[in-house]
Amino acid sequence: MQAAKQPSKITVSDQGTLQVPDVPIIPFIEGDGIGQDIWPATRLVIDQSVQAAYGAERRIEWRELLVGEKGFHETGQWLSDEALETIRTHVVAIKGPMTTPVGSGIRSLNVAIRQKLDLYACVRPVAYIDPVPSPLKTPEKIDMVVFRENTEDLYAGIEWQAGSAEADQVIDFLNTRMGTALGPETGIGIKPISAVNTKRLVAMAIAYAIEHDRASVTLMHKGNIMKYTEGAFARWGYAVAAERFADRTITEAELWDRYDGRRPEGKVIIKDRIADMLFQQVLLRPDEFDVIATPNLNGDYISDALAAQVGGLGMAPGANIGDGCAVFEATHGTAPKYAGQDKVNPGSLILSGAMMLEHMGWHEAATALRKALQATIKDGLVTYDLARQMPGAKEVKCSAFAEAIVERLG
């Protein structure tokens, strides 16, 4: 009889590729609020998708991390160094939504995890799943992936309250040394955007576009106003395309000057759009955009807006990815008023699980999961948020939705 395979960690090779064993140990954070409902549903679907794709050859060994409210109640810490180190050494992790503790010195647990682990790219694929309700006439044209810079911009959290000694010092410096005319009761925030962080984010977006045969990468920015931060983001984005991907990319100007607007096979078009213009264009001409690379705040806005066009955050997956590790997550909040009611839609976390499987190279399981989820929705078995918008649909509980997906994995 063949010995049972022992669980072991995922590792990263010297070339930066993942080495995934047949039984990887994957840390998970249940999440606060509705995490207690959507995580068990997600775990069931992921485990059964792996079994459907690989039988007894592969499985996941889950390891819980006590982070968030559960961590605080059991250990007195919202986010321990041990939990962060476990994610770092296990390379891949998944988490439910987490609350932001009040008065603890942590602005956001989500932001803290991203910054402490240097998960510099928030990756949010947005694609329509028929027949999820959408406010658009042609939602099937939406198939984009947002790469949002995660570590700087206004999310760096460098700010001072109006009237504080720190704010007054900064105001005095700006007024006396830099020629501004700020009033005394002014809150101050700093918006850092750097070449190194911009280039690594855009490089990841371009590499993704090349690997997945995407037509274009659009640099989203407000450089017409913020010329030395967001304008620089666009310039550095073009620069890294030329420096690292010259043989695989062309600019939009080159597309028209040299190719009469017809994309050469194997080339990715690098273009840029002013942020407010892009919000309009993803509504009017969504099929013209494939991958969007953006600074932090713009990325927060555009990814949620795109999610609304394909059914809301309940169906929007996401991941935070760095060079060393990745954390896959629900993109919505904790919804504490629904906690423990077995009511809410687990779709966001389930689809994030599919992203995780794909990241691991387990493409067959990821494909099986997505197809089974879509089949469940097509059969009209959905949670309350979708049922109230889908005439003739049957409303089911969170756990029953997961069970229905499992039934369709065959």
Side-chain angles (χ1 to χ4, degrees):
M1 179 182 294
Q2 186 177 9
K5 297 177 180 178
Q6 295 302 306
S8 57
K9 297 177 183 178
I10 297 173
T11 57
V12 181
S13 72
D14 293 340
Q15 291 73 38
T17 58
L18 294 190
Q19 307 294 312
V20 182
D22 288 336
V23 187
I25 303 169
I26 297 184
F28 73 91
I29 299 168
E30 178 183 83
D32 302 323
I34 56 173
Q36 64 186 280
D37 301 307
I38 65 174
W39 168 247
T42 297
R43 178 172 175 168
L44 173 68
V45 172
I46 294 174
D47 284 342
Q48 293 302 311
S49 297
V50 171
Q51 184 178 39
Y54 309 115
E57 288 300 308
R58 294 178 180 176
R59 65 179 178 85
I60 293 172
E61 180 81 7
W62 299 103
R63 176 176 176 181
E64 184 171 13
L65 301 180
L66 298 178
V67 174
E69 291 178 345
K70 181 182 285 190
F72 184 73
H73 292 151
E74 296 194 23
T75 71
Q77 296 184 76
W78 291 94
L79 176 61
S80 67
D81 291 340
E82 180 184 359
L84 289 168
E85 185 61 20
T86 299
I87 295 173
R88 182 182 291 109
T89 57
H90 287 72
V91 180
V92 171
I94 188 169
K95 72 177 187 66
M98 292 192 296
T99 191
T100 297
V102 177
S104 69
I106 298 177
R107 287 175 179 268
S108 163
L109 290 171
N110 294 317
V111 172
I113 289 172
R114 295 166 189 166
Q115 293 185 344
K116 290 178 181 294
L117 294 174
D118 198 25
L119 305 176
Y120 59 84
C122 179
V123 182
R124 296 276 295 272
V126 185
Y128 179 64
I129 299 176
D130 183 42
V132 172
S134 168
L136 300 186
K137 292 182 178 179
T138 56
E140 67 278 0
K141 293 182 179 180
I142 298 172
D143 186 7
M144 307 176 205
V145 184
V146 177
F147 280 74
R148 166 192 173 195
E149 205 289 320
N150 243 351
T151 65
E152 53 185 8
D153 195 1
L154 296 178
Y155 278 70
I158 306 171
E159 62 174 353
W160 299 278
Q161 185 177 4
S164 67
E166 295 85 356
D168 289 344
Q169 283 183 305
V170 176
I171 291 168
D172 180 66
F173 170 79
L174 292 174
N175 288 347
T176 59
R177 301 285 298 275
M178 307 303 290
T180 62
L182 300 175
E185 290 294 320
T186 301
I188 300 293
I190 305 296
K191 179 185 177 71
I193 291 183
S194 67
V196 62
N197 289 340
T198 295
K199 287 185 174 183
R200 66 179 182 172
L201 181 278
V202 176
M204 184 184 287
I206 295 173
Y208 178 93
I210 292 170
E211 181 180 353
H212 293 83
D213 194 28
R214 293 280 186 158
S216 67
V217 173
T218 302
L219 306 170
M220 178 186 186
H221 64 96
K222 191 64 178 170
N224 57 328
I225 303 300
M226 291 170 278
K227 301 182 186 301
Y228 305 122
T229 50
E230 301 216 1
F233 178 91
R235 292 192 297 275
W236 289 326
Y238 280 114
V240 77
E243 293 163 3
R244 295 184 52 182
F245 305 96
D247 60 331
R248 297 299 303 272
T249 62
I250 58 172
T251 66
E252 192 172 34
E254 290 173 326
L255 174 71
W256 290 100
D257 292 344
R258 297 172 54 187
Y259 301 100
D260 196 28
R262 290 185 289 271
R263 179 173 73 100
E265 185 175 352
K267 297 285 189 178
V268 175
I269 303 163
I270 309 300
K271 54 188 178 181
D272 69 283
R273 293 291 184 272
I274 300 299
D276 47 334
M277 180 192 300
L278 187 60
F279 274 101
Q280 175 184 233
Q281 291 186 350
V282 296
L283 285 168
L284 300 177
R285 302 196 298 274
D287 47 348
E288 294 183 9
F289 301 96
D290 285 288
V291 176
I292 298 172
T294 166
N296 207 329
L297 186 60
N298 289 338
D300 198 0
Y301 293 154
I302 195 73
S303 56
D304 280 14
L306 287 172
Q309 294 173 213
V310 296
L313 289 176
M315 297 299 295
N320 299 293
I321 302 175
D323 293 330
C325 59
V327 177
F328 298 81
E329 65 178 355
T331 59
H332 51 70
T334 59
K337 71 177 182 178
Y338 293 119
Q341 297 183 28
D342 194 19
K343 181 181 180 70
V344 297
N345 186 351
S348 173
L349 193 55
I350 289 174
L351 288 169
S352 297
M355 285 183 69
M356 182 189 76
L357 293 170
E358 194 169 67
H359 181 75
M360 294 162 53
W362 291 12
H363 300 288
E364 299 84 357
T367 298
L369 187 160
R370 291 190 180 103
K371 286 183 176 179
L373 183 144
Q374 182 168 5
T376 303
I377 295 173
K378 267 188 170 294
D379 289 341
L381 299 173
V382 292
T383 49
Y384 82 101
D385 56 316
L386 299 181
R388 62 190 178 185
Q389 304 177 67
M390 295 172 59
K394 178 182 178 182
E395 180 180 332
V396 298
K397 292 182 177 295
C398 172
S399 57
F401 181 66
E403 290 163 1
I405 294 173
V406 169
E407 290 173 3
R408 287 156 180 78
L409 280 168

